[in-house]
Amino acid sequence: MEKSVAEASYFLPPYDARACAAATETTKGVVQSTQATLLPKKKFSFSSRKKKEKAKEVEGGEREKEVGEVERDVERAKANARGDSAAAASAAAKLAALTAAADDGPGLRDLTGETCVVTASELREANGTGAGDYVLVNLTDVTVFILGAVRALRCHNLKNVRVYGGPVEGSVHAQGLDGCHLEIATRQMRIHDARNGTAFYLRTKSRPIIEHSTGVGFAPFTFSYDGSEDALARAGMEPDPGTWREVDDFGWIKQQQSPNWRIIPEEERVAPPPAP
């Protein structure tokens, strides 16, 4: 795991790298704690070699019994440790991602029942020259229009939120979405813990990834605003490669279609509102 995280840090965004490192350290701690608890300690003795040889046969049977019991304990502990480490790693990853999202960069936080329009000039003022990161955290019943390019977009803890914008020149990390609607163009889409009919209308350069999500739908990106075609072209997202429909579910390892996501039928798709 440590080797994989080290290799992945070359291309992962900083917050993803921190989350992976935290999950690895948590798992490592669980393994070390389990080993310290279950592995038998070596017995220290000043006995001579002759005494050891005489006692060997007597101790052999007891030792064999002890080893058998320890092996059974280890197997039971492995099953428990797998569950504990997975839960701990997941919690650590979520905590690291949420902390990074809350602390890093400009964005919208802790809003309810509002409509927010973020213009290209506001993005430039917030990030200086060039596209920067933008965050949406702890929003409820909010509509957000992002009318300009950003480098990365992080969406965390959103309920009944509608987001229209693009392009995102790097990645979108969405976590904790409940009944939301996101229409965005991005190079990479990472989704964790989305539920209750959350819909993603996407244009992506790579396959969207979902994890710990259920009841989510996917459709093609159709939102536009003044200058959006030029922005998409500059970001290398013209034309649409159609990868929005090639979703990878990290929680579903079978070859059959994952039940956690679907392609939204054309008759159910919702047209985006006109840009302000």
Side-chain angles (χ1 to χ4, degrees):
M1 287 178 67
E2 289 177 330
K3 181 180 178 182
S4 297
V5 169
E7 292 174 349
S9 63
Y10 176 76
F11 59 84
L12 283 178
Y15 58 91
D16 275 350
R18 289 197 295 270
C20 290
T24 303
E25 285 302 311
T26 302
T27 306
K28 186 177 178 181
V30 172
V31 172
Q32 291 174 343
S33 175
T34 304
Q35 288 177 336
T37 302
L38 296 175
L39 289 180
K41 297 180 180 179
K42 294 182 179 180
K43 295 181 179 180
F44 183 79
S45 174
F46 288 103
S47 300
S48 65
R49 183 178 298 176
K50 290 184 178 180
K51 289 182 179 180
K52 288 182 180 179
E53 289 175 354
K54 289 180 180 179
K56 188 176 181 180
E57 293 181 2
V58 178
E59 292 178 355
E62 294 179 359
R63 180 64 174 172
E64 211 172 281
K65 182 180 178 181
E66 181 184 354
V67 169
E69 290 175 352
V70 170
E71 287 176 346
R72 286 191 294 272
D73 289 340
V74 168
E75 289 303 317
R76 284 193 294 269
K78 280 181 180 178
N80 294 332
R82 280 194 295 269
D84 292 342
S85 62
S90 177
K94 288 183 179 180
L95 178 61
L98 286 170
T99 302
D103 294 340
D104 294 348
L108 302 174
R109 298 172 174 86
D110 305 315
L111 300 177
T112 300
E114 298 188 25
T115 296
C116 303
V117 181
V118 185
T119 65
S121 60
E122 290 173 336
L123 291 171
R124 285 193 295 270
E125 290 176 5
N127 294 294
T129 57
D133 294 1
Y134 204 77
V135 299
L136 306 174
V137 182
N138 298 332
L139 308 182
T140 302
D141 298 322
V142 172
T143 299
V144 181
F145 294 92
I146 302 176
L147 308 182
V150 297
R151 182 176 57 202
L153 178 64
R154 309 172 196 174
C155 307
H156 296 270
N157 194 24
L158 310 184
K159 184 173 183 179
N160 298 329
V161 171
R162 293 152 298 284
V163 180
Y164 304 94
V168 179
E169 298 175 357
S171 65
V172 175
H173 185 280
Q175 181 165 317
L177 273 59
D178 186 347
C180 295
H181 179 112
L182 267 69
E183 185 144 355
I184 205 84
T186 179
R187 287 189 174 275
Q188 184 184 58
M189 187 76 206
R190 303 282 299 276
I191 302 163
H192 298 259
D193 190 24
R195 54 195 178 279
N196 291 341
T198 294
F200 298 93
Y201 287 62
L202 303 177
R203 179 177 299 185
T204 60
K205 297 292 288 183
S206 60
R207 299 162 69 100
I209 296 171
I210 67 172
E211 189 172 14
H212 305 303
S213 300
T214 183
V216 297
F218 291 84
F221 172 82
T222 57
F223 177 67
S224 64
Y225 58 90
D226 187 22
S228 62
E229 291 184 5
D230 291 339
L232 289 168
R234 287 194 299 270
M237 296 181 187
E238 287 282 14
D240 182 1
T243 48
W244 60 268
R245 68 178 74 238
E246 300 172 7
V247 181
D248 286 332
D249 184 354
F250 280 10
W252 184 260
I253 60 175
K254 299 180 181 179
Q255 292 184 350
Q256 296 91 337
Q257 164 70 37
S258 166
N260 298 320
W261 68 276
R262 69 181 183 121
I263 293 177
I264 302 173
E266 290 189 17
E267 61 272 17
E268 296 181 20
R269 296 174 187 172
V270 180

